[in-house]
Amino acid sequence: PQEVFDQLIQQGEVESVGTNSINWLGVPLKVKERVIGVMASQSYTEGIRFTQEDADLLEFISAQVALAIERKWTEEQMQQNAARLIDILKLGMELAALREESAVLNTLVTCAAVIMESAMCTVMMIDTAANEAVLTAHYGMPESTSSDLRVPLTLPVILHMLETGEPLTLSD
């Protein structure tokens, strides 16, 4: 109803754009029960009102639209995964040709950063005698970074991986 729409405008939840419609019908676009958008139809002709039959029809159409969107997303994800796999295969071939550990690690961190689309990648080896992790290879770190960078094994992120043997993801 118009009252609900007016209330949503007052609350700043929606913005009125263009000419006000006489009748509006909206249905959710759902992919696997997750709402990814809204599909709507407006009428500007007096006397044309949407019915439950119209709502059912638009809901059916929106399900087809959502399926098409999901297929496109899946296709894009498959293309990204294929590109990553090709990069990993190339990395394997490059590493097989290298003989020195430092060359292998430097190639590895560079390729890993590219594959992961990250700005930085490092390899730190554990020095149990010194109770430290030692920077062994890096990509994307400032040039002023010491080639002998050492951090204590008690650093929470390192300690977590040492204790659990599990990956750790940190987000802001």
Side-chain angles (χ1 to χ4, degrees):
Q2 186 63 42
E3 303 83 40
V4 172
F5 184 69
D6 292 340
Q7 186 179 13
L8 290 171
I9 289 175
Q10 287 177 341
Q11 294 170 347
E13 296 292 321
V14 297
E15 181 181 340
S16 181
V17 178
T19 306
N20 287 342
S21 61
I22 293 172
N23 201 217
W24 185 91
L25 170 63
V27 297
L29 281 171
K30 293 184 197 175
V31 170
K32 296 179 181 161
E33 300 305 314
R34 184 172 65 95
V35 177
I36 62 164
V38 173
M39 186 169 192
S41 185
Q42 297 88 250
S43 170
Y44 297 93
T45 304
E46 196 61 55
I48 294 182
R49 298 284 186 245
F50 296 118
T51 64
Q52 183 59 48
E53 188 176 301
D54 295 321
D56 294 343
L57 178 60
L58 192 58
E59 195 168 34
F60 174 78
I61 294 168
S62 76
Q64 303 311 305
V65 169
L67 281 172
I69 291 169
E70 182 183 29
R71 278 193 299 272
K72 187 62 179 166
W73 286 350
T74 301
E75 177 186 325
E76 289 170 357
Q77 187 63 48
M78 288 173 63
Q79 288 173 346
Q80 289 174 355
N81 289 346
R84 275 186 154 178
L85 288 174
I86 289 169
D87 288 341
I88 291 168
L89 288 172
K90 287 178 184 176
L91 172 61
M93 292 185 325
E94 285 182 38
L95 293 176
L98 299 174
R99 298 288 177 238
E100 293 181 29
E101 181 181 281
S102 64
V104 169
L105 290 176
N106 285 322
T107 300
L108 175 67
V109 295
T110 301
C111 291
V114 170
I115 290 168
M116 297 299 295
E117 299 177 359
S118 63
M120 186 184 333
C121 187
T122 62
V123 171
M124 299 191 84
M125 300 300 291
I126 304 300
D127 179 346
T128 53
N131 204 32
E132 296 174 323
V134 180
L135 181 65
T136 310
H138 65 86
Y139 169 84
M141 293 184 76
E143 290 198 25
S144 60
T145 302
S146 169
S147 60
D148 192 36
L149 178 68
R150 296 171 171 269
V151 296
L153 296 182
T154 55
L155 190 69
V157 294
I158 294 176
L159 187 60
H160 170 83
M161 287 181 279
L162 287 173
E163 290 176 347
T164 67
E166 298 289 325
L168 176 65
T169 302
L170 303 174
S171 300
D172 54 335

